[in-house]
Amino acid sequence: MDYMASRKAWIEKELPVFLQRASIPSKLKDSMVYSLMAGGKRIRPVLLFATLDTLGEKEEKGLATAIALEMIHTYSLIHDDLPAMDNDELRRGKPTNHVVFGEATATLAGDGLLTCAFQIIAADDQLSDACKSGLVLRLARAAGPEGMVGGQEDDLEAEDKFLSLEELMSVHRRKTGKLIKFPVEAAALIAGASEQEEKSLSGYADHLGLAFQIGDDILDIAGNEKDLGKPIGSDLVNHKNTYVSLLTVNGAREKLAEHIQRAKGFLSEGKFDGGILSELADYLLHRTS
Amino acid sequence: MDYMASRKAWIEKELPVFLQRASIPSKLKDSMVYSLMAGGKRIRPVLLFATLDTLGEKEEKGLATAIALEMIHTYSLIHDDLPAMDNDELRRGKPTNHVVFGEATATLAGDGLLTCAFQIIAADDQLSDACKSGLVLRLARAAGPEGMVGGQEDDLEAEDKFLSLEELMSVHRRKTGKLIKFPVEAAALIAGASEQEEKSLSGYADHLGLAFQIGDDILDIAGNEKDLGKPIGSDLVNHKNTYVSLLTVNGAREKLAEHIQRAKGFLSEGKFDGGILSELADYLLHRTS
């Protein structure tokens, strides 16, 4: 998908600029940049740009927010990989942050990226103060203990327990869903979307977030180790509740298709269908990494 | 000091309210509240209130920012105490967060408090949007990799090295100084202080921050274990560079008095002397915990 590739290239060019210019102890800076630039699909920034474009707003106006979002996503991966959390030594084919820089610096790199995310939004002179404080509020809610951090705790507590499909969806809405919904809602705020437009986009993002997580669970068991850059089956080893363990691989594939369908239904409702947001939904249906 | 005691009581009543109302997994919420309410001098909030009062502004206008600041201070202690960092099992006479809740939840509790800090400021409807985005920007700079988090990295790297007095002051200006300067600068922003007023207050806070750290170093070696709630001499055991190891206890006491003197000089310059800010400086000169 050309759009996705071009926006991925753009955000990857812009991502390290803030850190490179900042006065940060060099090992800490290297550690932050290492994980920030360690690849990934950049799906959250792409979603932000695509929503801005769909709403007829300049994509540049979302750049600082997109960088902030990717910093928060990156910090969550660094802390998630720590020995006391998931204890992962490999991510996207590369040694994880604490393997390279040590646990102490990895912890600080995560803390630093999380803090910089809010700094970058607050420093963005393209946006009004009202818009900036709205973005900070929404981002903190999506990323904090009512959102992603709360979902990570849920996830810890769910290990070795059996969750129902409802419970699993509730964990994932917090753990990954809110941070996939955020770029769509952020774009609506930046572009000054109507309430009706925001409602459709928000419904789209909700189903997209669930589809994304289901896709991750499928790839963990049925994906290709080389494409993923990590060992297959780690969820099983870690006794994680996944859509696959609840529904089988084929059942999870059906569920994924259903959420993509419902996401596209919300696009039709808002008359946003046929554009980049539809393409992104299709991409999530067929992705291999 | 009556002022300090009354403001400490006020902030301690208000501190847990936000978390109690929020929808957070219960173990994570308990863990966040545990460390937030684990005592301490609340010097940063008190400094914020005292500066607002000095500038003739209502102290209530700083409440959300004071809570945010104490959340950030608390998160930094939780992460600092982790086994991979300072590996402390006792703080203020109580088991540290990871000892009670486990390392994974302690890591998330820290992440959660850091994120909530920005949420609380952005949600504060007493302040203008311009003021809120200014506060978020300054707080992130003070707490992030250009500030406190950078100072913690400096501190890690300085273990088993000998620093000069200049180098030690530079580490501490980042590690503790910026977060002691922040409440004074935040109050100046909230109260709409003049540039001249802010300059005097900022000079005051700079020396106060250094005095505070010197005091900590002195108490670590010459304090009373019962007052402090932690073992004496831990800096020595951890091979930390301190003002005491560089200057001796008496030399450090002289340096502390000198910085308090210079802090008060800035108060005179701004015609703020003789009030609560002077009293706070005197308190730091004579504290025993």
Side-chain angles (χ1 to χ4, degrees):
Chain A
M1 187 184 171
D2 283 354
Y3 180 83
M4 203 160 162
S6 74
R7 294 321 183 268
K8 183 174 183 304
W10 182 35
I11 189 79
E12 292 196 333
K13 189 168 93 29
E14 297 289 344
L15 265 180
V17 174
F18 175 87
L19 294 177
Q20 278 157 357
R21 287 182 190 156
S23 162
I24 300 174
S26 62
K27 184 181 170 190
L28 179 63
K29 186 188 284 199
D30 291 347
S31 158
M32 293 169 78
V33 172
Y34 174 81
S35 289
L36 197 58
M37 302 310 290
K41 292 169 290 294
R42 313 299 185 189
I43 186 81
R44 295 162 193 78
V46 172
L47 206 46
L48 177 60
F49 297 138
T51 311
L52 283 170
D53 186 72
T54 300
L55 290 165
E57 180 61 270
K58 276 188 296 186
E59 294 180 33
E60 282 79 2
K61 283 191 89 173
L63 183 58
T65 310
I67 294 170
L69 184 52
E70 203 62 10
M71 283 183 164
I72 289 210
H73 175 56
T74 303
Y75 117 76
S76 77
L77 301 181
I78 297 174
H79 282 188
D80 230 23
D81 287 338
L82 285 170
M85 307 277 286
D86 282 355
N87 195 20
D88 280 319
E89 301 199 340
L90 211 59
R91 176 174 292 275
R92 296 171 189 149
K94 292 179 188 157
T96 47
N97 197 294
H98 65 273
V99 170
V100 181
F101 297 94
E103 269 187 70
T105 297
T107 305
L108 293 174
D111 295 343
L113 285 166
L114 171 53
T115 314
C116 282
F118 295 105
Q119 184 173 339
I120 282 183
I121 293 178
D124 183 7
D125 54 20
Q126 288 190 86
L127 303 175
S128 69
D129 287 315
C131 187
K132 289 194 277 192
S133 57
L135 289 169
V136 167
L137 181 60
R138 282 168 179 76
L139 183 56
R141 277 192 188 137
E146 297 181 292
M148 181 184 72
V149 168
Q152 287 172 306
E153 177 68 28
D154 285 338
D155 206 32
L156 284 175
E157 292 175 22
E159 275 172 41
D160 301 311
K161 270 192 240 170
F162 287 101
L163 300 186
S164 69
L165 185 60
E166 274 309 305
E167 288 169 330
L168 187 64
M169 282 172 69
S170 152
V171 171
H172 285 152
R173 276 208 163 91
R174 281 219 252 220
K175 194 186 169 198
T176 53
K178 289 202 177 187
L179 220 58
I180 287 185
K181 219 166 166 173
F182 171 78
V184 174
E185 293 176 340
L189 184 71
I190 293 170
S194 71
E195 214 173 295
Q196 193 51 49
E197 285 173 324
E198 190 167 349
K199 213 180 133 220
S200 301
L201 289 168
S202 181
Y204 162 79
D206 189 35
H207 288 287
L208 208 69
L210 288 166
F212 186 78
Q213 183 63 50
I214 297 170
D216 259 7
D217 287 357
I218 295 171
L219 288 170
D220 185 73
I221 201 83
N224 176 318
E225 200 152 316
K226 210 175 136 225
D227 286 347
L228 291 174
K230 65 176 183 181
I232 295 299
S234 67
D235 290 341
L236 268 180
V237 174
N238 292 325
H239 300 263
K240 296 251 178 195
N241 288 274
T242 72
Y243 289 97
V244 172
S245 68
L246 266 172
L247 303 170
T248 76
V249 171
N250 281 337
R253 284 204 170 114
E254 277 170 34
K255 205 75 188 161
L256 167 59
E258 186 190 314
H259 283 295
I260 292 296
Q261 211 44 51
R262 292 181 67 186
K264 291 170 100 176
F266 276 100
L267 288 185
S268 303
E269 185 193 281
K271 310 216 187 319
F272 296 127
D273 41 342
I276 319 165
L277 293 177
S278 301
E279 276 186 57
L280 273 171
D282 288 329
Y283 162 79
L284 286 189
L285 186 60
H286 301 296
R287 74 192 173 110
T288 56
S289 71
Chain B
M1 186 184 170
D2 284 353
Y3 179 82
M4 203 162 162
S6 73
R7 294 321 183 272
K8 182 176 185 299
W10 181 36
I11 189 81
E12 292 196 334
K13 188 167 96 23
E14 297 289 343
L15 265 181
V17 174
F18 175 86
L19 294 177
Q20 278 157 357
R21 286 184 191 156
S23 162
I24 300 174
S26 62
K27 185 182 169 191
L28 180 63
K29 185 189 282 198
D30 291 346
S31 157
M32 294 168 78
V33 171
Y34 174 82
S35 289
L36 197 58
M37 303 309 291
K41 293 170 288 296
R42 314 298 185 188
I43 187 79
R44 294 162 193 78
V46 172
L47 206 47
L48 178 60
F49 298 138
T51 311
L52 284 170
D53 185 73
T54 300
L55 290 165
E57 180 59 89
K58 279 189 295 187
E59 294 179 32
E60 283 79 2
K61 284 191 90 172
L63 183 58
T65 310
I67 294 171
L69 184 52
E70 203 62 11
M71 282 181 164
I72 290 209
H73 175 56
T74 303
Y75 117 76
S76 77
L77 301 181
I78 297 174
H79 282 188
D80 230 23
D81 288 337
L82 285 171
M85 307 277 287
D86 281 355
N87 195 20
D88 280 318
E89 301 200 339
L90 212 58
R91 176 174 292 276
R92 296 171 188 148
K94 292 179 188 156
T96 47
N97 197 294
H98 65 273
V99 171
V100 180
F101 298 94
E103 267 187 71
T105 297
T107 304
L108 293 174
D111 294 343
L113 286 165
L114 171 54
T115 313
C116 280
F118 295 105
Q119 185 172 338
I120 282 183
I121 292 177
D124 183 8
D125 52 20
Q126 288 191 87
L127 303 175
S128 70
D129 286 316
C131 187
K132 289 194 278 194
S133 57
L135 289 168
V136 167
L137 182 60
R138 283 167 178 76
L139 182 56
R141 277 192 189 139
E146 296 181 291
M148 181 183 71
V149 167
Q152 287 171 307
E153 177 69 27
D154 285 339
D155 206 32
L156 285 174
E157 292 175 24
E159 276 171 39
D160 301 311
K161 270 190 240 170
F162 289 101
L163 300 187
S164 69
L165 184 61
E166 273 309 305
E167 288 169 331
L168 188 65
M169 282 172 68
S170 152
V171 170
H172 286 152
R173 275 209 165 91
R174 282 219 253 219
K175 193 186 168 197
T176 54
K178 289 202 176 185
L179 221 59
I180 288 185
K181 220 166 165 174
F182 171 78
V184 173
E185 293 175 340
L189 184 70
I190 293 170
S194 71
E195 212 172 296
Q196 194 51 49
E197 285 173 324
E198 191 167 349
K199 214 181 132 218
S200 301
L201 290 168
S202 182
Y204 162 79
D206 189 36
H207 288 287
L208 209 69
L210 288 166
F212 185 78
Q213 183 63 50
I214 298 170
D216 259 6
D217 288 356
I218 294 171
L219 288 170
D220 185 73
I221 201 85
N224 175 319
E225 200 151 315
K226 210 172 136 229
D227 288 346
L228 290 175
K230 66 175 182 182
I232 294 299
S234 68
D235 289 341
L236 267 180
V237 174
N238 292 325
H239 300 264
K240 295 251 177 195
N241 288 276
T242 72
Y243 289 98
V244 172
S245 69
L246 265 173
L247 302 170
T248 76
V249 171
N250 281 338
R253 284 203 170 114
E254 276 169 35
K255 207 75 189 161
L256 167 58
E258 185 189 315
H259 283 295
I260 293 294
Q261 211 45 50
R262 292 180 66 185
K264 291 170 100 175
F266 276 100
L267 289 184
S268 304
E269 184 194 281
K271 310 218 187 317
F272 296 126
D273 41 343
I276 321 166
L277 293 177
S278 299
E279 277 185 56
L280 273 172
D282 287 330
Y283 162 80
L284 287 189
L285 186 58
H286 300 296
R287 73 192 173 110
T288 56
S289 72

